Amino acid sequence: MTNLLDIQNISYSINSEKILRNVSLKIQSKMMYQFIGGNGAGKTTLLKIILEIMPPSKGRIFKHQSFSKKYIGHKIPLKNYLTLDENLKIYLNNFSETKLIDTLKKLNLYDKRDTKFSSLSYGQQRKAALIPIFIETHEMFLLDEPFSGLDNAHIEIIKKEMINLVSHGKTVIFTSHIPAEFECETLRL
């Protein structure tokens, strides 16, 4: 394992309300991390600070090396007026068509390729947003509430893929309100 990030005493405030207080953590390659906490605990905020989308109020993050990363937020970035297939052609990077077809079948979305995104259920939309974890080759995946809106069968499929990513040398950081039922480092916020 290699150190990727050193998160040191990160704090974040909005006006006078403290969202994060002195959070410290080492992020290593080939590991899975869960940020757990209730609504408003700062899980998404910490992901955005790691991604350098927003600066911390206090503290810093040391990046030990450069690495590719993919962020999949809890807000679905796909366009309602496009079909699933049209969305995926825009949304995905560097993928094999064969792997995409296999993933669509695994997620029960293959027959929905020509369906307008707005006509898909929330769970189907959520699964579509998570497709990159199956086919893109980043060194780190940051997933904000990846199990939200999924049925139990598809939660298991996503969990298995997250574990598979780590077994193939990737780093996975995800947020949740519920403790993971698999091995990962947990940071309670």
Side-chain angles (χ1 to χ4, degrees):
M1 285 180 276
T2 307
N3 279 340
L4 298 176
L5 299 171
D6 230 342
I7 300 168
Q8 295 184 343
N9 298 313
I10 294 292
S11 293
Y12 187 81
S13 299
I14 297 176
N15 299 323
S16 61
E17 182 183 353
K18 291 221 184 251
I19 307 297
L20 296 171
R21 295 173 197 257
N22 299 320
V23 175
S24 294
L25 178 69
K26 289 185 187 309
I27 302 289
Q28 297 182 318
S29 63
K30 305 176 189 175
M31 294 284 293
M32 187 164 340
Y33 299 86
Q34 177 185 30
F35 299 164
I36 188 168
N39 295 333
K43 301 178 300 293
T44 301
T45 299
L46 184 54
L47 286 181
K48 289 179 178 180
I49 291 171
I50 290 170
L51 289 162
E52 301 175 289
I53 294 171
M54 59 196 319
S57 301
K58 207 168 81 173
R60 55 183 154 183
I61 296 181
F62 292 103
K63 191 188 265 188
H64 293 280
Q65 62 186 53
S66 82
F67 50 89
S68 65
K69 54 191 172 283
K70 178 73 172 192
Y71 171 67
I72 301 175
H74 63 276
K75 293 182 181 172
I76 298 171
L78 303 174
K79 307 296 181 204
N80 280 325
Y81 57 87
L82 297 175
T83 66
L84 174 59
D85 198 46
E86 291 166 337
N87 266 301
L88 294 175
K89 286 185 172 124
I90 295 167
Y91 180 56
L92 298 173
N93 299 307
N94 302 323
F95 66 94
S96 132
E97 191 69 31
T98 305
K99 211 167 183 185
L100 175 59
I101 290 168
D102 290 344
T103 300
L104 288 168
K105 287 178 180 175
K106 184 185 290 188
L107 297 175
N108 296 322
L109 292 172
Y110 184 76
D111 294 336
K112 304 290 184 187
R113 290 170 297 151
D114 296 324
T115 303
K116 288 269 187 232
F117 201 70
S118 61
S119 296
L120 298 175
S121 72
Y122 178 74
Q124 291 169 327
Q125 291 178 358
R126 190 71 185 134
K127 290 186 293 186
L130 289 164
I131 287 173
I133 71 170
F134 293 89
I135 65 173
E136 290 188 7
T137 55
H138 301 282
E139 294 160 288
M140 180 184 287
F141 289 87
L142 299 103
L143 312 174
D144 199 358
E145 301 289 346
F147 309 123
S148 174
L150 300 180
D151 59 37
N152 289 337
H154 288 94
I155 288 172
E156 288 305 313
I157 291 169
I158 300 302
K159 283 181 187 177
K160 284 180 185 170
E161 189 57 29
M162 290 164 61
I163 292 166
N164 182 51
L165 287 168
V166 172
S167 73
H168 284 90
K170 310 302 181 191
T171 301
V172 177
I173 301 172
F174 70 101
T175 67
S176 182
H177 298 103
I178 303 161
E181 298 172 358
F182 50 90
E183 188 176 333
C184 63
E185 297 293 318
T186 300
L187 175 64
R188 292 192 180 277
L189 297 173

